Amino acid sequence: MPPRRRLQYTQESIDQQLQQIHLLDASSSSENLEQLGPIIKQIHANRQQEVYLRNLQALIEAKDAEIEGICTENYQEFISSISTLFTIKSYTTSLRERIATLDENVGQLGKGLVEKKRTLLQSKKTASNLDEAIDTFQACLKLLDVIDRIGDMIKEGRFWSALRSLEDIQTMPLTSLSQTPLYQHILSSLPSLRVQVQNAVTASMKQWLLEIRNVTATVGRSALETMNARTRKWRARREKDPMLRSSRVGSAVEMVTYERTDSNVLDKDKIGVDFQPLYQCVHIYISLDSLDDLRTSYQADRKAQSDLILPTPLSISTLPALLEEICGFFIIESHVLETTSGFRSEREIEELWDGIVARLSSAIASALVEQRDPDTFLKVKECLTSFVMTLESYSYSTHSLHSLTLALFEKYTGLLETEFGRKLDSVVLDDDYLPMHVTTSSERESVLNNVWLSASEKENLIQYSIPLTLPWSQSFYLCCQDIRTFIQQFYQFVEGVSQHHSNIDDLLSRSLDKLLSNHISDSINKRLPSTSALSQIAQIVTNLEYFEVACTELGQSLTNLRSTQRGGTIRLASSPFSEPFQQSQRRITALITSKLDDFFDLSEYDWTPQGREEMPSMYLYELVNWLTTVVDSLPLKDTYKDEAYKGAIGYIAECFMNFMIGPKVPAMNEHAVANMVTDMTFLEGEITRIGRGNLNSSFAELHSMSKIILTDAVQDYLNPSVRQASYSEVRPKRLQALLEKLARYGATCRDNRSRERGERRRKEAETLHRMSLTYT
């Protein structure tokens, strides 16, 4: 590696380095002595100190020589400049002295002006303070005037203006007044002033509540009258158009066809209901952010007013006025709900409504507990119906009132049943049961319009000439008339009631069944035992037949009526008159058999004749003649006549049997048995003659018994196969009783033949007795 070349410092290089660090630059104002560090370091590193210093000294000497040369050339000019400067200095000193003198003079003159200026400034400051004080005082006067006017506004009822004035005071821009104690005092008193406004508007609202309480009944009366007029108009229209019968006031059809008018029951000009105090109170409370307090207070006040509406106990005579007041109360509540936002809620009004409806229902139920007049219930229902329809139009729930109406309806129906039950009992029991007569066409038309008949029957009766004897008695007509009145009054209560038809139809069915069964049917049963004339009983049977037809026609007509109103089927009891029918037939049979007993009492049979009779007994001619005449003359259908003949023939056969085996005849002989056969044969002929030969079977056992005796066929009867084939209708005990009577007769005879026959009869009777025991 070649040796490093050592640097050589010359005067030019050193001058250049010093120029670079501005040590020799006359135009530079700064000296960068920090840059000497690297140069000195480099000198030391190269060990050129001596060389560098020698060259630096040479440079300094060269610069000194250069400076001396420059000074020698400009010396005269420098001296001249100094002389000039001394001259200027003297002038300056003179001017300074003159200025000091002038300053002293000006100072003396300015000191007076400063005092005057200071006085002037203080005067201006005082004037400014006075102006500010005056302005502040005037502002205070204005503020106090506003406060005073707020009191007047409160007294005049201008609550919103008073509240706005208070807000203006609070939001007034910052001024000198804002810092005054008076202003701070006024600001601190603003809450109390707001309370005054709030109390005043609340008092105004309370007064309004008292005032509307006085017009509540008028509002309700107007609404109810409007609804009644609407109901009458709809009823008239519904009567003209059968298609509208199923629609009530308030239904969809009625609402579509309803010609709504702009009549308002709360019309301020008509009734004087002004809601401004309430609206103003609500507005003020909203502004004060205290609406919840007003809502609570208002609800409590209205609750107290609603509690005062219902008196305790309730008098039915005051119910219309009471319902008017309740109706007006809740119409006002509905209006308040619709015309205010966020003040009233549906839940609050429903609480008032549910409470008063519950108390009203309880009060009405208590007032009607002892009531027995159906008309009173009807009046209550009419009041409730208008009340319910009116409040339904304001969207109030009336379900509980419908339940109350239905409960009243059930009690009303019960009272109607009692009232009409007494009427029907009286009609049935007091009837003479003679055919009813009509003498004029109008009378016939009135009767036919009141009774229920088949279309063909009614048409036939219309064809008959006047005067006319009707097939039924007065009781049938009066019962039909009363039932029509009952149905009319029944549905009179239902009119306007919104309830399921099935409930009403079931109630009507049960009520009609009670009237038909418990009163008409039972009263006929009570009347039958005291009726002894066959014609009257026949008339009762005829009435019963028409009652059966009337029940069918009544059920059908009611069903047709309800079907036009979307109701159900009216089903009456299937056979409410079955028992009177049976008892009537039994009564006819009893009366006939009673008369037959009279004939048998006149029979005067000889039970031990010496020979047989060829002709029947004479009393049988009268008996047959009477029986056929009476039974055939009864105004009854052949079915009932057949039953009468059947009962009579059966009773005659029973009487003949009693003659043969009963205790009234202790003994008889074979000739008496033969005479009985002759009488029976005669009766069978007469029965066949009148076309009722099928009834001859009543004498079958008598004929068989007589045949066994007259043909001495007892031994054949003892043979089971023969008995079953030829004498199955003969009962052993009866034949035994007849044989015992024949045996008694034989025992009383004196001739041996008769005695032997009697003994044989006795043994045959004993054999039959043992046979009876064996079969038993």
Side-chain angles (χ1 to χ4, degrees):
M1 177 177 179
R4 184 172 57 184
R5 184 179 179 182
R6 298 179 65 180
L7 294 175
Q8 298 294 324
Y9 291 101
T10 64
Q11 289 185 5
E12 289 79 7
S13 63
I14 293 173
D15 183 43
Q16 185 179 3
Q17 289 177 349
L18 294 176
Q19 289 290 341
Q20 289 177 354
I21 60 175
H22 304 290
L23 290 178
L24 298 179
D25 188 359
S27 63
S28 175
S29 61
S30 60
E31 295 180 354
N32 297 328
L33 299 178
E34 293 83 0
Q35 296 184 10
L36 288 176
I39 296 174
I40 294 170
K41 182 180 179 183
Q42 186 177 11
I43 292 171
H44 280 280
N46 294 326
R47 296 178 181 179
Q48 295 290 321
Q49 294 93 337
E50 292 295 331
V51 177
Y52 189 85
L53 288 175
R54 283 194 304 267
N55 289 325
L56 179 61
Q57 184 63 38
L59 177 63
I60 292 171
E61 290 176 356
K63 292 295 181 183
D64 286 340
E66 186 180 350
I67 292 171
E68 183 178 354
I70 292 172
C71 289
T72 300
E73 292 176 0
N74 296 302
Y75 177 73
Q76 293 299 325
E77 293 178 4
F78 178 73
I79 294 298
S80 177
S81 297
I82 292 174
S83 177
T84 302
L85 287 174
F86 277 113
T87 302
I88 293 171
K89 179 180 179 183
S90 65
Y91 281 116
T92 302
T93 303
S94 176
L95 286 174
R96 183 181 292 115
E97 292 175 355
R98 290 180 66 187
I99 289 171
T101 302
L102 291 173
D103 180 63
E104 183 178 357
N105 293 334
V106 170
Q108 291 176 355
L109 292 173
K111 188 178 294 183
L113 293 174
V114 168
E115 291 296 330
K116 291 179 180 180
K117 180 66 175 179
R118 185 180 291 111
T119 303
L120 179 60
L121 291 176
Q122 185 65 35
S123 298
K124 288 183 177 181
K125 186 176 181 180
T126 301
S128 176
N129 289 339
L130 288 174
D131 290 339
E132 185 177 354
I134 291 170
D135 292 340
T136 303
F137 185 71
Q138 289 179 346
C140 289
L141 289 177
K142 291 181 180 179
L143 189 59
L144 291 174
D145 182 62
V146 171
I147 297 297
D148 184 62
R149 283 191 288 110
I150 288 174
D152 294 338
M153 292 177 187
I154 293 174
K155 293 178 182 178
E156 295 171 2
R158 297 163 56 197
F159 305 110
W160 176 243
S161 298
L163 194 61
R164 287 292 301 273
S165 297
L166 291 175
E167 292 178 358
D168 291 342
I169 293 174
Q170 189 170 10
T171 59
M172 188 170 61
L174 295 177
T175 62
S176 58
L177 178 64
S178 304
Q179 306 302 322
T180 62
L182 175 62
Y183 182 75
Q184 298 301 322
H185 175 72
I186 290 175
L187 286 181
S188 65
S189 66
L190 291 183
S192 63
L193 291 174
R194 289 192 180 93
V195 171
Q196 290 182 23
V197 174
Q198 182 175 343
N199 292 339
V201 77
T202 302
S204 174
M205 190 268 290
K206 299 279 187 182
Q207 181 63 32
W208 175 80
L209 286 175
L210 293 177
E211 291 174 356
I212 65 166
R213 184 181 178 188
N214 297 328
V215 300
T216 295
T218 306
V219 173
R221 187 181 309 113
S222 176
L224 291 173
E225 288 174 354
T226 302
M227 180 56 68
N228 289 333
R230 179 177 170 182
T231 302
R232 289 192 297 270
K233 184 177 180 179
W234 179 249
R235 185 181 294 119
R237 183 168 185 174
R238 192 173 58 181
E239 290 174 355
K240 294 178 182 178
D241 189 354
M243 296 297 293
L244 301 177
R245 288 181 181 176
S246 60
S247 302
R248 58 185 290 272
V249 173
S251 63
V253 176
E254 193 272 341
M255 291 294 289
V256 170
T257 59
Y258 176 51
E259 298 175 358
R260 187 179 298 276
T261 60
D262 293 331
S263 60
N264 182 8
V265 296
L266 295 174
D267 192 344
K268 179 179 178 181
D269 297 332
K270 294 181 180 179
I271 299 180
V273 181
D274 185 4
F275 289 89
Q276 182 179 355
L278 176 64
Y279 298 153
Q280 185 172 238
C281 186
V282 172
H283 190 48
I284 295 298
Y285 269 82
I286 291 175
S287 300
L288 295 175
D289 197 21
S290 301
L291 185 60
D292 289 342
D293 296 336
L294 179 62
R295 291 178 60 179
T296 303
S297 173
Y298 185 86
Q299 178 72 0
D301 291 338
R302 294 300 273 169
K303 175 68 167 59
Q305 286 186 339
S306 68
D307 292 341
L308 294 175
I309 293 177
L310 282 173
T312 304
L314 173 65
S315 174
I316 295 301
S317 60
T318 63
L319 182 61
L322 178 65
L323 293 179
E324 289 174 358
E325 191 166 357
I326 296 175
C327 184
F329 182 94
F330 285 99
I331 289 175
I332 291 173
E333 282 300 303
S334 178
H335 182 77
V336 171
L337 176 64
E338 292 177 358
T339 55
T340 58
S341 176
F343 172 57
R344 297 290 280 160
S345 67
E346 293 184 359
R347 181 184 59 82
E348 291 171 338
I349 298 177
E350 286 174 0
E351 287 179 0
L352 295 177
W353 171 250
D354 293 340
I356 202 167
V357 166
R359 295 194 303 275
L360 177 64
S361 301
S362 177
I364 291 176
S366 300
L368 294 175
V369 168
E370 303 297 332
Q371 185 59 246
R372 294 294 178 267
D373 184 10
D375 291 338
T376 301
F377 282 81
L378 189 59
K379 292 177 182 177
V380 172
K381 168 261 170 186
E382 290 174 351
C383 292
L384 286 177
T385 300
S386 299
F387 176 73
V388 166
M389 289 191 296
T390 301
L391 288 176
E392 279 182 342
S393 65
Y394 288 89
S395 302
Y396 283 98
S397 173
T398 57
H399 178 73
S400 57
L401 289 175
H402 285 304
S403 300
L404 171 64
T405 304
L406 190 59
L408 295 180
F409 182 40
E410 291 177 354
K411 292 190 67 175
Y412 170 79
T413 304
L415 294 176
L416 280 185
E417 290 176 8
T418 302
E419 177 184 345
F420 281 89
R422 288 195 297 266
K423 290 182 179 180
L424 293 173
D425 290 341
S426 176
V427 166
V428 173
L429 295 175
D430 296 340
D431 190 16
D432 57 6
Y433 289 102
L434 296 176
M436 187 177 177
H437 295 275
V438 291
T439 56
T440 63
S441 299
S442 60
E443 185 180 359
R444 176 177 62 183
E445 183 179 359
S446 175
V447 171
L448 295 181
N449 288 336
N450 276 283
V451 299
W452 285 281
L453 300 173
S454 63
S456 58
E457 178 77 11
K458 182 177 290 188
E459 187 65 29
N460 290 335
L461 292 175
I462 292 175
Q463 299 299 326
Y464 292 144
S465 59
I466 297 296
L468 175 64
T469 299
L470 299 172
W472 55 80
S473 69
Q474 189 80 11
S475 62
F476 173 70
Y477 164 69
L478 295 177
C479 286
C480 290
Q481 189 178 49
D482 287 340
I483 290 176
R484 281 188 183 274
T485 305
F486 172 82
I487 295 173
Q488 180 182 1
Q489 294 187 12
F490 181 94
Y491 280 120
Q492 189 176 1
F493 195 104
V494 176
E495 179 68 26
V497 176
S498 175
Q499 193 56 249
H500 294 296
H501 288 293
S502 59
N503 297 338
I504 296 173
D505 296 339
D506 291 342
L507 190 57
L508 177 60
S509 298
R510 293 195 300 269
S511 299
L512 290 176
D513 287 342
K514 289 179 182 178
L515 292 178
L516 294 172
S517 300
N518 298 346
H519 296 282
I520 297 178
S521 180
D522 289 354
S523 295
I524 291 175
N525 285 335
K526 294 177 182 177
R527 177 63 190 271
L528 281 171
S530 62
T531 304
S532 57
L534 283 172
S535 60
Q536 289 181 316
I537 297 177
Q539 185 61 64
I540 290 175
V541 173
T542 301
N543 286 357
L544 290 172
E545 289 180 338
Y546 280 100
F547 274 124
E548 290 279 1
V549 175
C551 287
T552 303
E553 295 295 325
L554 172 60
Q556 185 61 43
S557 62
L558 291 177
T559 298
N560 293 338
L561 173 64
R562 303 310 291 156
S563 64
T564 62
Q565 302 180 8
R566 299 190 184 98
T569 302
I570 303 295
R571 293 184 176 87
L572 302 179
S574 57
S575 56
F577 301 104
S578 58
E579 178 61 26
F581 266 121
Q582 296 175 6
Q583 187 170 343
S584 297
Q585 293 172 0
R586 290 193 295 267
R587 183 60 179 162
I588 291 174
T589 301
L591 290 175
I592 291 175
T593 55
S594 176
K595 184 63 177 177
L596 292 177
D597 285 338
D598 295 338
F599 284 106
F600 282 114
D601 290 340
L602 300 175
S603 60
E604 298 181 353
Y605 275 111
D606 181 5
W607 300 111
T608 58
Q610 298 301 314
R612 301 182 180 182
E613 298 289 340
E614 298 295 333
M615 299 297 294
S617 300
M618 294 302 299
Y619 81 93
L620 291 179
Y621 289 97
E622 296 179 4
L623 184 149
V624 170
N625 184 49
W626 175 86
L627 180 62
T628 55
T629 301
V630 168
V631 175
D632 290 343
S633 64
L634 292 177
L636 296 174
K637 295 180 180 179
D638 289 342
T639 303
Y640 301 108
K641 292 181 181 180
D642 291 342
E643 290 295 325
Y645 273 117
K646 181 179 179 180
I649 300 304
Y651 185 74
I652 293 173
E654 185 178 349
C655 289
F656 279 12
M657 183 65 72
N658 286 334
F659 285 153
M660 287 188 175
I661 65 174
K664 290 185 178 180
V665 180
M668 66 170 57
N669 59 18
E670 284 78 359
H671 296 308
V673 173
N675 292 337
M676 293 287 292
V677 172
T678 300
D679 288 350
M680 287 188 290
T681 303
F682 169 74
L683 289 174
E684 288 174 338
E686 292 299 315
I687 292 170
T688 303
R689 182 179 60 81
I690 61 177
R692 290 178 170 80
N694 59 304
L695 300 178
N696 289 333
S697 59
S698 301
F699 299 102
E701 186 177 9
L702 288 168
H703 276 296
S704 296
M705 287 176 59
S706 301
K707 182 178 179 181
I708 291 172
I709 298 300
L710 296 177
T711 59
D712 286 331
V714 176
Q715 295 302 319
D716 293 337
Y717 180 79
L718 294 175
N719 188 335
S721 59
V722 175
R723 181 173 67 249
Q724 185 64 30
S726 302
Y727 307 108
S728 59
E729 64 276 3
V730 177
R731 280 167 276 189
K733 288 187 177 181
R734 290 187 172 184
L735 181 58
Q736 175 190 343
L738 179 58
L739 290 173
E740 289 175 350
K741 288 187 177 185
L742 294 173
R744 292 192 195 97
Y745 170 74
T748 60
C749 293
R750 295 181 178 181
D751 59 294
N752 292 331
R753 183 178 178 183
S754 297
R755 291 177 67 86
E756 290 176 358
R757 186 182 301 112
E759 182 63 19
R760 189 176 74 252
R761 299 299 186 190
R762 184 185 64 79
K763 293 179 179 180
E764 290 173 345
E766 290 178 353
T767 303
L768 285 173
H769 177 67
R770 288 193 298 271
M771 185 184 70
S772 299
L773 293 177
T774 301
Y775 282 106
T776 302

